[in-house]
């Protein structure tokens, strides 16, 4: 049986040039859930020889987008924040897992954990999305 949520999330990724440029790969998607991965590349390193925080934020934001748009009801980020736990380094492979925490008619809150290849928590991200009243397929 085909996973329709994974198919829809992959369609979003196929249209997402930025996530593709970062090297994001979709591992799993379910209703209000996704798991993505991304290898750290040299161009993601900052002046302190660690990964630029914006890269980690962008990975989590992509996970938020893919998980919050699985039901074809378009949702956009309304508010997001991140806590960095450990420095990400060149050669790391990050995974971001997005899980729905709460949902109302117009908003939803997701928790995204970003871990490295050793399953260490590198960042914790929380995002609130606003459901814009349109279908993803119509955008």
């Amino acid at each position: 049986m085909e996973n329709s949520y994974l198919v829809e999330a992959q369609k979003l990724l196929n249209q997402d040039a930025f996530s593709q440029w970062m090297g994001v790969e979709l591992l799993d998607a379910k209703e209000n859930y996704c798991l993505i991965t991304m290898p750290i590349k040299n161009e993601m390193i900052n002046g302190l020889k660690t990964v630029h925080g914006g890269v980690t934020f962008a990975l989590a934001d992509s996970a938020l987008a893919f998980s919050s748009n699985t039901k074809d009801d378009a949702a956009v980020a309304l508010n997001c924040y991140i806590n960095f736990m450990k420095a990400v380094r060149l050669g790391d492979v990050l995974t971001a897992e997005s899980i729905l925490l709460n949902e109302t008619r117009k908003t939803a809150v997701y928790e995204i954990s970003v871990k490295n290849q050793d399953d260490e928590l590198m960042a914790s991200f929380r995002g609130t999305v606003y459901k814009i009243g349109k279908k993803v397929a119509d955008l």
Side-chain angles (χ1 to χ4, degrees):
M1 185 168 130
E2 186 175 60
N3 179 341
S4 63
Y5 299 113
L6 189 57
V7 170
E8 291 306 310
Q10 188 61 54
K11 283 181 188 176
L12 283 175
L13 178 56
N14 292 345
Q15 299 178 131
D16 185 341
F18 185 73
S19 291
Q20 291 174 37
W21 173 80
M22 289 195 312
V24 170
E25 180 184 337
L26 188 60
L27 298 177
D28 193 14
K30 300 173 189 152
E31 185 174 343
N32 299 311
Y33 171 88
C34 87
L35 181 66
I36 60 177
T37 188
M38 177 187 74
I40 298 303
K41 303 183 259 183
N42 189 54
E43 57 268 28
M44 297 173 171
I45 303 301
N46 66 22
L48 299 176
K49 299 181 183 174
T50 61
V51 170
H52 190 287
V55 172
T56 306
F57 187 100
L59 175 67
D61 187 45
S62 290
L64 175 66
F66 301 142
S67 61
S68 65
N69 286 285
T70 57
K71 294 188 289 191
D72 197 36
D73 293 322
V76 296
L78 185 61
N79 181 53
C80 302
Y81 65 89
I82 193 166
N83 290 303
F84 300 103
M85 308 298 182
K86 291 185 172 188
V88 178
R89 307 222 179 254
L90 183 62
D92 282 345
V93 177
L94 298 180
T95 59
E97 183 177 37
S98 180
I99 299 169
L100 176 69
L101 295 179
N102 186 58
E103 183 173 37
T104 69
R105 188 175 56 81
K106 294 300 285 181
T107 64
V109 178
Y110 289 81
E111 181 73 31
I112 295 93
S113 58
V114 179
K115 296 182 178 180
N116 69 4
Q117 66 281 357
D118 298 322
D119 205 34
E120 296 175 297
L121 185 64
M122 306 307 279
S124 178
F125 178 104
R126 186 161 292 185
T128 302
V129 296
Y130 177 74
K131 300 171 194 174
I132 62 174
K134 296 181 181 181
K135 297 294 182 190
V136 172
D138 295 338
L139 298 176

